[in-house]
Amino acid sequence: MERDTICAVATAPGEGGIAIVRGSGAEAARILGGCFRPEGKGALVPRRMTYGRAVGAKGEELDEVLAVWLPGPGTYTREDMFEIQCHGGSVCARRVLDRTIALGARIAEPGEFTKRAFLNGRIDLSRAEAVMALVGANSEAAARASLRQLEGGVSGFVRKVSDQLKGCMARIEACTDFPEEVDEPEAARLTLEELAQIHAEIEDRCDPRSARLIREGASIVLAGRPNVGKSSLMNALLRQERAIVTEVPGTTRDVLTERIQLGGICAELSDTAGQRETGDPVERIGVERAERAVEGADVVVIVLDASEPLTAEDEALLGAADGRSIVCLNKCDLPRRSGHPGALELSAATGMGVEKLIEELTRRVAVAGGAEERMTGERHLRLAGLSLEAIEAAEESIRAGMPLDLAEIDLRRALGFLSEITGEDASEEVIDRVFQSFCVGK
Ligand SMILES: Nc1nc2c(ncn2[C@@H]2O[C@H](COP(=O)(O)OP(=O)(O)OP(=O)(O)O)[C@@H](O)[C@H]2O)c(=O)[nH]1
Ligand SMILES: [Mg+2]
């Protein structure tokens, strides 16, 4: 299918060293010829950077640039493409872009370059989505997972599981086609065994907690009664004086959040208002916010003050502790007046024990089995979940002794959901929705 030629600024807006204008489509050669003049006798050699000028309609200079001519099909979109490297900032790239439009190109829609790569069969839908996930990755783990997906990790997994499902379906078909030759109870037993294995593989890949940690990061909340040193600990963990610290209880009023990287996972660390009964309306709102932050946290660091006896407020927090909690005994540089079994002993003031806390936090937010092997895309997880439900239905119907061909209907459904992940039978609507979330120029 002949598609019009698209163009866009592919670099982020704002000041920078260079800005790149790229184009793709059947008219790419003519458009590049019309807006680029190589220096001297230089001619455009495919895939080689050429120095020259971007020029306007009357040959006037628009910018000093480097241009590359990329004839298809060995390109990102599989079409003829070009890229022009202009000076950074908003003006030069805009002028060159306007010129390509004057020559007949059209501004690309978000993700349209990648959409063409998909429509032209270079990559499947899950790999196209990986491009966007990689651009938006906020941590080392997220980038690793996206890169693995881009290399075909998700597609490979879908293919493998689909083949296994097809194997099960073939056995069921043999049963119904040749009932005299196949032992049905034996076939049912084998199918159940295989389905259990497929089931476990999909569940392992699609662990939603890991996916969320990789995609969005973890949330860690520092909680405790006033004046125990939460803000001091926040600053010690960030290695900067971010939160206000005073000897006045009730200093922190709002939730204060900063990002840190823990073992390649992005974590949001929040300091909160000290939790106590208070008549001050502002402080009360702060305490309510602290409680809400604790509710939504992946990890709660309960901070106690070693230099004071434990109070009813400390006991209340310890009473509410659960599997997400880490108990820390702060101010261990001062004479001891309290303790707590299993607590991490530290001092935000001297830094003693802070490294140990970082290690523990890193352990708590780590993704089991490695980030690369996890499915992280929301769309993929939803479809994998639906296929899992269909497989479960098949398992149940076999276990209930129903005819095997009923299970086959469920397995066919499971297969359909899986193939939507790679976009094999994705509708135009699904495809459009996927690419809408992309940025222009990608
Ligand atoms: N000696 C000593 N003092 C500390 C330590 N950590 C905090 N402090 C002191 O304890 C007081 C309270 O510290 P903050 O960090 O403001 O305590 P907070 O828990 O954030 O208090 P609120 O915001 O009121 O809830 C300050 O005077 C800090 O200097 C520590 O490890 N050792
Ligand atoms: Mg504070």
Side-chain angles (χ1 to χ4, degrees):
M1 189 176 99
E2 190 79 346
R3 299 195 178 91
D4 45 4
T5 300
I6 52 173
C7 62
V9 178
T11 38
E15 266 178 49
I18 58 168
I20 299 176
V21 175
R22 73 199 314 207
S24 176
E27 294 285 308
R30 185 185 58 75
I31 291 170
L32 179 61
C35 69
F36 175 69
R37 191 174 60 212
E39 178 84 354
K41 296 197 298 298
L44 281 165
V45 178
R47 290 166 224 295
R48 191 164 305 164
M49 199 80 97
T50 307
Y51 173 74
R53 300 276 183 277
V55 290
K58 301 187 189 81
E60 75 278 18
E61 180 178 339
L62 301 176
D63 191 14
E64 179 193 26
V65 299
L66 286 166
V68 200
W69 161 235
L70 300 157
T75 61
Y76 187 70
T77 57
R78 279 208 169 153
E79 300 171 339
D80 287 348
M81 291 186 75
F82 63 80
E83 288 191 7
I84 303 175
Q85 294 193 355
C86 316
H87 285 105
S90 56
V91 180
C92 297
R94 183 73 229 178
R95 294 171 82 178
V96 174
L97 185 72
D98 287 346
R99 175 70 181 135
T100 62
I101 293 167
L103 286 161
R106 147 177 89 69
I107 287 272
E109 287 162 21
E112 199 171 2
F113 289 92
T114 311
K115 186 176 179 181
R116 288 189 175 194
F118 166 70
L119 292 174
N120 292 330
R122 193 178 68 78
I123 50 175
D124 67 35
L125 204 52
S126 80
R127 289 173 66 184
E129 287 167 300
V131 172
M132 205 52 222
L134 186 58
V135 172
N138 62 6
S139 69
E140 189 65 33
R144 275 206 312 267
S146 317
L147 208 54
R148 183 81 186 84
Q149 184 182 334
L150 182 59
E151 288 162 353
V154 170
S155 330
F157 176 73
V158 166
R159 209 175 313 119
K160 180 173 147 243
V161 173
S162 301
D163 284 348
Q164 287 171 315
L165 282 176
K166 282 177 193 158
C168 287
M169 289 160 71
R171 182 177 314 105
I172 292 173
E173 271 162 32
C175 261
T176 34
D177 292 352
F178 311 103
E180 301 82 24
E181 289 164 42
V182 184
D183 175 5
E184 180 155 344
E186 175 64 3
R189 195 186 61 75
L190 282 175
T191 308
L192 269 182
E193 238 171 53
E194 270 181 35
L195 288 180
Q197 193 204 333
I198 296 171
H199 193 136
E201 275 183 57
I202 297 180
E203 266 184 348
D204 178 49
R205 276 272 171 158
C206 301
D207 169 31
R209 179 187 133 89
S210 304
R212 196 178 47 78
L213 286 179
I214 294 169
R215 206 176 50 227
E216 293 159 23
S219 85
I220 300 171
V221 171
L222 303 177
R225 70 171 164 80
N227 223 41
V228 291
K230 299 177 295 301
S231 300
S232 307
L233 189 54
M234 170 91 168
N235 292 344
L237 289 168
L238 295 174
R239 295 194 185 87
Q240 67 177 47
E241 296 305 307
R242 179 69 179 82
I244 299 174
V245 169
T246 74
E247 64 288 346
V248 183
T251 298
T252 306
R253 296 302 186 89
D254 213 340
V255 179
L256 187 82
T257 298
E258 279 292 333
R259 280 188 175 184
I260 53 170
Q261 298 283 328
L262 292 169
I265 296 276
C266 174
E268 289 206 321
L269 181 66
S270 299
D271 179 23
T272 60
Q275 297 192 20
R276 65 170 170 185
E277 294 291 331
T278 168
D280 179 339
V282 180
E283 191 180 353
R284 195 163 52 230
I285 295 171
V287 171
E288 282 164 15
R289 288 189 180 184
E291 285 165 356
R292 245 178 290 136
V294 166
E295 273 168 32
D298 293 300
V299 182
V300 181
V301 180
I302 299 177
V303 187
L304 305 173
D305 184 341
S307 70
E308 300 272 345
L310 293 189
T311 68
E313 285 132 346
D314 293 320
E315 298 292 357
L317 274 162
L318 289 170
D322 55 24
R324 302 170 301 149
S325 315
I326 301 175
V327 180
C328 287
L329 196 60
N330 187 33
K331 307 197 192 179
C332 282
D333 54 303
L334 296 178
R336 289 292 178 86
R337 297 185 59 200
S338 62
H340 184 77
L344 264 176
E345 304 194 347
L346 50 85
S347 162
T350 67
M352 187 268 286
V354 172
E355 222 25 70
K356 268 231 153 56
L357 175 59
I358 292 179
E359 276 168 29
E360 179 61 18
L361 290 172
T362 306
R363 211 175 55 74
R364 293 288 185 103
V365 302
V367 173
E372 288 90 342
E373 296 310 318
R374 292 285 157 293
M375 220 183 248
T376 54
E378 268 173 285
R379 196 182 68 86
H380 303 170
L381 287 171
R382 188 177 54 77
L383 288 165
L386 288 171
S387 85
L388 210 49
E389 277 172 24
I391 291 171
E392 272 165 14
E395 290 178 282
E396 257 167 50
S397 93
I398 297 176
R399 256 188 248 117
M402 309 285 264
L404 279 183
D405 44 352
L406 280 181
E408 196 196 350
I409 298 174
D410 291 320
L411 296 184
R412 196 169 295 286
R413 263 192 320 128
L415 209 54
F417 290 128
L418 288 175
S419 68
E420 240 188 84
I421 293 181
T422 44
E424 267 165 60
D425 333 288
S427 65
E428 206 164 307
E429 192 197 333
V430 168
I431 294 167
D432 284 345
R433 214 175 319 126
V434 164
F435 289 102
Q436 264 163 17
S437 59
F438 273 52
C439 43
V440 174
K442 190 70 238 181

